Amino acid sequence: MELSHRGKLFMGLAQQAEADLRELLAIPGNYAVLFLQGGATQHFAQIPMNLAGEGDSADYVVTGHWGEKAASEARPYVKVNIAASSKDEHYLRLPPRETWQLDPRAAYVHYTPNETIHGVEFHDIPDVGDVPLVADMSSDILSGPLDVSKFGLIYAGAQKNIGPSGLVVLIVRRDLLERAGRPMARIFRYAEHAANDSMLNTPNTWGWYLAGLTFQWLKEQGGLAAMQARNQAKARLLYGAIDGSGGFYRNPVAVASRSRMNVPFTLHDSALDADFLKESEAAGLLALKGHKALGGMRASLYNAVPLEAVQALVAFMADFAKRHG
Ligand SMILES: Cc1ncc(COP(=O)(O)O)c(C=O)c1O
């Protein structure tokens, strides 16, 4: 941690991390890869600053908590058009593509491929025509192969599938870097970060280093096709246990919209929640308490979670249901 980010050793690590990420996602050469700070939340605001000019509008497709946040943080910088929202349906399903009110003059279309709290995921990349598609992949990046060429910009807080908190990976089509016409400090300008290899100021060297180790680990696991197969197997096992529990456990999300990464579920009687959490923790199954916005439970099945952990969870769930059913 005492190494200078401009020293040869760190520069080598940084370049290797970028090369490995480019290989894993097959990122085309006309995309810049940036290693930034500020969390995904800062980029909710910085994306419109960079991609929209004065008076422009942008389309937002809102399918959960984080999409709502992204739209609200963008409002000071762009006219936000909510092109589709499933809020009235409590975010239990994705709004059908044919109902989206997209504006062909929008500066970009923003969506959240995986909604971490609501457990709702797109399983296809939506076709939005020629308008650049912007995706907050904070909770699904690297969970499977991705056609990066379908996107204008992809960004992700690193803290789930990549590594530690405090790092944001942002992949942007280079022609979009030319857009940022409005006055803003250099530190907010993606083009400046790209021109300076993400070292406009001191980067998060620790996060970048650990991200690089994760990229190497992913390559050793067989790359993103192997991760996809593993993630699908984990999700199938857990949803199967929930749906097959005779109503003891319940996941309310429409089957076609269910997330492979985040599985919220409730117990048939919420009076059992405290016992479920206490006993699961004693069994070594941690962090199952649901987000405070939804209550109940949530199992996150990020890349680092092995199939054996999900097998242990479903065995515990079956035993708990037998004892309390
Ligand atoms: C999909 C999504 N977007 C944005 C965020 C916010 O990220 P950060 O805390 O890095 O700002 C999260 C955090 O959990 C998330 O899951």
Side-chain angles (χ1 to χ4, degrees):
M1 292 320 301
E2 293 177 353
L3 294 176
S4 162
H5 64 285
R6 300 204 189 280
K8 221 168 138 190
L9 190 55
F10 184 77
M11 292 287 254
L13 289 172
Q15 280 162 10
Q16 189 61 48
E18 178 175 336
D20 288 339
L21 181 63
R22 282 187 178 276
E23 186 184 327
L24 282 165
L25 281 170
I27 300 173
N30 62 327
Y31 285 73
V33 175
L34 306 180
F35 291 83
L36 303 174
Q37 301 181 56
T41 304
Q42 181 175 309
H43 296 273
F44 289 163
Q46 216 172 322
I47 286 165
M49 288 167 82
N50 278 271
L51 297 193
E54 295 293 342
D56 279 353
S57 70
D59 287 342
Y60 278 74
V61 175
V62 178
T63 54
H65 173 91
W66 292 111
E68 252 184 61
K69 275 257 163 123
S72 89
E73 294 296 306
R75 281 200 173 91
Y77 306 102
V78 70
K79 277 188 223 148
V80 168
N81 169 42
I82 303 295
S85 168
S86 46
K87 187 169 188 168
D88 289 347
E89 296 184 85
H90 310 287
Y91 297 128
L92 292 177
R93 68 187 69 245
L94 297 170
R97 172 65 188 83
E98 59 278 12
T99 64
W100 298 11
Q101 306 278 318
L102 295 178
D103 175 357
R105 290 156 306 167
Y108 59 87
V109 180
H110 182 284
Y111 82 122
T112 315
N114 184 66
E115 279 286 355
T116 322
I117 295 174
H118 288 88
V120 174
E121 183 178 11
F122 284 81
H123 297 290
D124 296 304
I125 301 170
D127 180 4
V128 296
D130 293 333
V131 176
L133 183 60
V134 173
D136 171 7
M137 293 199 183
S138 295
S139 55
D140 63 325
I141 195 161
L142 299 173
S143 60
L146 187 70
D147 183 355
V148 172
S149 72
K150 294 269 197 311
F151 296 86
L153 188 151
I154 292 166
Y155 65 113
Q159 60 268 28
K160 298 176 171 77
N161 269 342
I162 298 179
S165 56
L167 181 75
V168 170
V169 170
L170 190 139
I171 302 166
V172 55
R173 221 174 61 208
R174 287 187 193 276
D175 61 291
L176 297 175
L177 294 173
E178 315 290 316
R179 278 195 182 183
R182 73 175 86 203
M184 75 180 107
R186 288 178 71 210
I187 196 70
F188 296 130
R189 213 176 271 280
Y190 293 144
E192 291 280 355
H193 287 282
N196 290 278
D197 297 325
S198 306
M199 294 198 194
L200 190 56
N201 66 329
T202 312
N204 173 355
T205 52
W206 174 243
W208 200 333
Y209 165 61
L210 288 186
L213 293 183
T214 304
F215 302 152
Q216 281 174 20
W217 176 80
L218 287 168
K219 282 170 55 176
E220 285 158 24
Q221 301 302 304
L224 301 188
M227 293 318 291
Q228 164 117 305
R230 207 187 276 186
N231 287 326
Q232 280 168 343
K234 292 185 296 187
R236 214 177 297 122
L237 182 60
L238 182 50
Y239 285 115
I242 293 168
D243 294 342
S245 69
F248 191 92
Y249 301 107
R250 199 165 161 268
N251 169 280
V253 177
V255 171
S257 307
R258 282 174 165 179
S259 167
R260 292 161 309 145
M261 293 282 106
N262 309 98
V263 183
F265 62 94
T266 50
L267 275 58
H268 77 104
D269 177 1
S270 60
L272 292 171
D273 285 6
D275 282 346
F276 183 91
L277 287 168
K278 207 167 99 199
E279 291 182 29
S280 56
E281 196 172 319
L285 299 158
L286 309 182
L288 287 169
K289 191 170 175 12
H291 191 274
K292 59 183 184 309
L294 287 193
M297 310 298 151
R298 178 176 52 164
S300 288
L301 309 180
Y302 298 124
N303 279 347
V305 174
L307 181 63
E308 293 73 19
V310 186
Q311 287 166 339
L313 174 61
V314 300
F316 170 81
M317 287 168 69
D319 180 58
F320 185 88
K322 206 155 70 188
R323 286 184 287 108
H324 296 272

